[in-house]
Structures are given as C-alpha cells and as structure tokens.
C-alpha cells in the first residue's frame, strides 16, 4: 500500500512542478553559421585590429541570438573551433551591446512662468 502512495505523490509532484526551462541554450546552427560568416574579420584573425561596431552586420547577427548567448554558439562549434575562436565569439556578447543614452539632465525639471505679478499660489 505504501509504494502506491509514494508513486501517487511523485506523480502529483511531477504534474504540479513542471521542468525548469533554461533561458540559455536556444541558439541554432544557422545562427552559429551566420556569426561565423558575418564576424569572420574579427574572430578568424590572429590579432584582430578592430572590434566590430554595434551597428555592424556582425553585431546585428549577435543580437539575433536569444539573450545574446555566445556560450550557446560556442557549444555548437567543434572542439578545435572552440579552442581557436571561442574566446573571441564570447567577447562579441560584450562588444555588441547597444547602450541607450542617459536621460537628459533637464528631462524631469519643470519651468514655471509667472505672467501676472499679483499671482500668488494657494495656501501662501
């Protein structure tokens, strides 16, 4: 009788608690291939001179990967490719971030213009 109860409890627990879905790990081989093609000038050089610009085709391709998860892309590479290009591909996650500009310092300030010298605010 007891094993049946344990099995029933495990079944209920499995139904109530769905498996956790990882945010990372949803990149595709097509995305990997696109990054290898569009970012080749950065990842294939022995000593890359310039990092890709945020508006470049390379960075736009990087931002198409869910969460810009370059670890996921590196995991799709062959071991030899991981050793050769893995660090540079991971660096793309930082290099291709687009930051929004800070808000204007005068954005939240209000300007009050008083046109009538006799005007006084309520309660004064």
């Amino acid at each position: 009788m007891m094993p049946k109860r344990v099995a029933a409890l495990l079944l209920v627990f499995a139904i109530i608690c769905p498996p956790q879905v990882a945010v990372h790990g949803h990149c595709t081989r097509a995305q990997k291939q696109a990054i290898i093609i569009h970012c080749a000038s950065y990842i294939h050089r022995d000593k890359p001179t310039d990092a890709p610009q945020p508006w470049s085709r390379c960075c736009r391709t990087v931002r198409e990967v869910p969460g810009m998860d370059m670890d996921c892309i590196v995991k799709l590479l062959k071991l030899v490719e991981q050793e050769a290009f893995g660090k540079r591909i991971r660096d793309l996650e930082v290099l291709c971030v687009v930051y929004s500009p800070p808000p204007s310092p005068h954005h939240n300030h209000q300007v009050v213009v008083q046109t009538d010298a006799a005007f006084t605010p309520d309660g004064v």
Side-chain angles (χ1 to χ4, degrees):
M1 193 77 170
M2 191 61 131
K4 289 182 182 180
R5 287 185 183 185
V6 172
L9 284 174
L10 287 175
L11 180 62
V12 169
F13 183 77
I15 292 170
I16 293 174
C17 301
Q20 299 296 319
V21 177
V23 174
H24 300 295
H26 295 298
C27 61
T28 65
R29 293 192 185 282
Q31 290 168 330
K32 175 201 80 164
Q33 194 61 32
I35 287 172
I36 289 173
I37 291 169
H38 296 297
C39 302
S41 64
Y42 177 72
I43 64 175
H44 288 292
R45 290 193 178 158
D46 289 336
K47 295 181 182 177
T49 55
D50 294 324
Q53 298 298 318
W55 58 84
S56 69
R57 181 67 184 141
C58 171
C59 284
R60 289 193 314 263
T61 305
V62 168
R63 288 191 297 271
E64 290 173 3
V65 175
M68 289 177 56
D69 186 5
M70 294 299 104
D71 282 330
C72 180
I73 297 295
V74 170
K75 289 176 185 174
L76 294 176
L77 297 172
K78 296 176 184 171
L79 188 57
V80 175
E81 293 172 322
Q82 286 179 4
E83 292 172 4
F85 314 122
K87 181 183 180 332
R88 289 196 194 122
I89 290 175
R90 284 186 184 95
D91 289 345
L92 292 171
E93 189 171 331
V94 175
L95 295 171
C96 292
V97 170
V98 177
Y99 295 99
S100 61
S104 169
H106 302 291
H107 185 271
N108 291 329
H109 296 146
Q110 295 179 353
V111 177
V112 177
V113 178
Q114 186 172 352
T115 58
D116 185 5
F119 174 78
T120 56
D122 291 339
V124 176

